[in-house]
């Protein structure tokens, strides 16, 4: 049984609609890449009240008043535009602005598709999000390679995403479909003036026939909130 936030569906859907329309030319040159979609979705989700349901009961929207639903849709579209404007005005460093088919150079044949990993980093004393610092995803062979150049590792924490960081590891070749493997990672951060943070993450992955290139917020592995403490 899993707890699911209905607002995620609505926000992701709205972001994709507006960005898809933008990609056809109405965005005024604003970036429409997956990373920006993700950043804008985080921006909006941090500003709307979540609506939790048990996923075993289906994800159909609860029967709410039609007018209320319309108003909520309009509010979210407004927030998406606001977030998009902010993120576009201050793009993350190394932001490559890739368009089109980003699923290039992925291994052919069976692969382990490692889910995107998302978390937030806070100051343990004030509970304020950490900004102006970096978070790294490390495996035993070093910094983990990301899906494409829009995903950076280390990940720069920015003011407009409230301490949120995301990683999307590059798929790993497998011998045959259905192979099961555990992937161990460390989320590492050492903001100036704080004790170093090392958070262990283990994901079990079953290999699939092809690489998954379509980013899905539903597939994201969410970490517990992480905290750093002043030295
Ligand atoms: Zn972008």
């Amino acid at each position: 049984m899993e707890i699911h936030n209905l607002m995620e569906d609505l926000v992701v859907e709205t972001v994709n609609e507006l960005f898809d329309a933008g990609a056809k030319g109405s965005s005024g040159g604003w970036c429409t890449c997956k990373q920006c979609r993700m950043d804008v979705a985080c921006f909006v989700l941090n500003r709307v009240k979540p609506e939790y349901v048990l996923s075993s009961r289906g994800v159909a929207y609860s029967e709410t008043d039609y007018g209320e639903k319309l108003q909520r849709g309009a509010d979210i579209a407004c927030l998406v535009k606001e977030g998009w404007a902010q993120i576009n005005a201050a793009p993350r460093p190394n932001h490559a602005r890739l368009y089109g088919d980003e699923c290039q150079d992925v291994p052919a044949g069976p692969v382990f598709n490692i889910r995107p990993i998302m978390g937030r980093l806070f100051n343990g004393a004030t509970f304020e999000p950490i900004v102006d610092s970096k978070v790294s995803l490390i495996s035993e062979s070093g910094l983990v390679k990301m899906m494409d150049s829009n995903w950076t590792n280390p990940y720069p924490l920015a003011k407009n995403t409230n301490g949120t960081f995301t990683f999307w590891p590059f798929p790993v070749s497998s011998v045959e479909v259905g192979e099961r493997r555990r992937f161990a990672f460390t989320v590492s951060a050492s903001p100036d003036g704080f004790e170093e943070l090392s958070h262990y993450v283990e994901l079990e992955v079953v290999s699939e026939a092809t690489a998954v290139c379509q980013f899905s917020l539903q597939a994201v592995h969410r970490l517990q909130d992480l905290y750093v403490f002043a030295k």
Side-chain angles (χ1 to χ4, degrees):
M1 191 165 66
E2 275 195 46
I3 293 174
H4 181 79
N5 176 6
L6 287 179
M7 292 309 280
E8 282 181 13
D9 301 332
L10 186 58
V11 168
V12 169
E13 206 177 288
T14 310
V15 166
N16 280 333
E17 270 171 26
L18 291 174
F19 274 64
D20 288 347
K24 293 196 189 94
S26 66
S27 78
W30 288 3
C31 187
T32 58
C33 80
K34 285 185 226 170
Q35 178 73 71
C36 286
R37 288 174 193 232
M38 182 72 195
D39 284 347
V40 172
C42 287
F43 175 95
V44 178
L45 282 167
N46 283 327
R47 285 165 178 77
V48 295
K49 203 165 118 266
E51 272 183 49
Y52 294 111
V53 290
L54 294 176
S55 56
S56 59
R57 303 208 177 139
V59 292
Y61 277 93
S62 49
E63 290 296 320
T64 47
D65 170 38
Y66 182 68
E68 192 184 310
K69 228 180 230 178
L70 275 183
Q71 183 54 46
R72 185 169 56 183
D75 291 345
I76 286 174
C78 252
L79 274 172
V80 168
K81 284 175 191 157
E82 188 191 329
W84 198 3
Q86 283 202 20
I87 278 147
N88 201 70
R92 63 182 68 249
N94 309 318
H95 177 228
R97 291 175 169 262
L98 282 185
Y99 295 90
D101 181 17
E102 291 163 27
C103 204
Q104 288 172 356
D105 309 320
V106 292
V111 289
F112 294 102
N113 288 301
I114 302 165
R115 298 160 69 186
I117 296 168
M118 182 196 289
R120 292 179 77 190
L121 187 62
F122 294 93
N123 178 329
T126 64
F127 302 104
E128 280 170 2
I130 297 288
V131 293
D132 300 327
S133 185
K134 285 176 178 172
V135 180
S136 306
L137 187 69
I138 297 165
S139 71
E140 54 182 18
S141 47
L143 274 180
V144 176
K145 183 181 175 185
M146 295 288 106
M147 189 63 173
D148 60 49
S149 53
N150 271 322
W151 300 79
T152 54
N153 185 15
Y155 183 102
L157 294 169
K159 277 199 182 66
N160 51 23
T161 50
N162 274 322
T164 303
F165 56 86
T166 50
F167 296 107
W168 190 9
F170 194 74
V172 174
S173 286
S174 158
V175 181
E176 54 177 355
V177 174
E179 191 187 344
R180 195 173 286 268
R181 190 186 295 177
R182 281 181 181 278
F183 289 85
F185 301 113
T186 303
V187 174
S188 163
S190 44
D192 283 346
F194 290 89
E195 300 277 0
E196 190 179 338
L197 170 90
S198 257
H199 179 77
Y200 183 75
V201 186
E202 201 179 64
L203 295 178
E204 189 176 79
V205 186
V206 177
S207 65
E208 297 169 274
T210 53
V212 171
C213 303
Q214 197 58 45
F215 181 82
S216 151
L217 199 62
Q218 271 73 31
V220 166
H221 177 79
R222 277 153 207 284
L223 304 176
Q224 62 190 82
D225 286 341
L226 302 177
Y227 298 91
V228 283
F229 295 89
K231 278 181 187 161

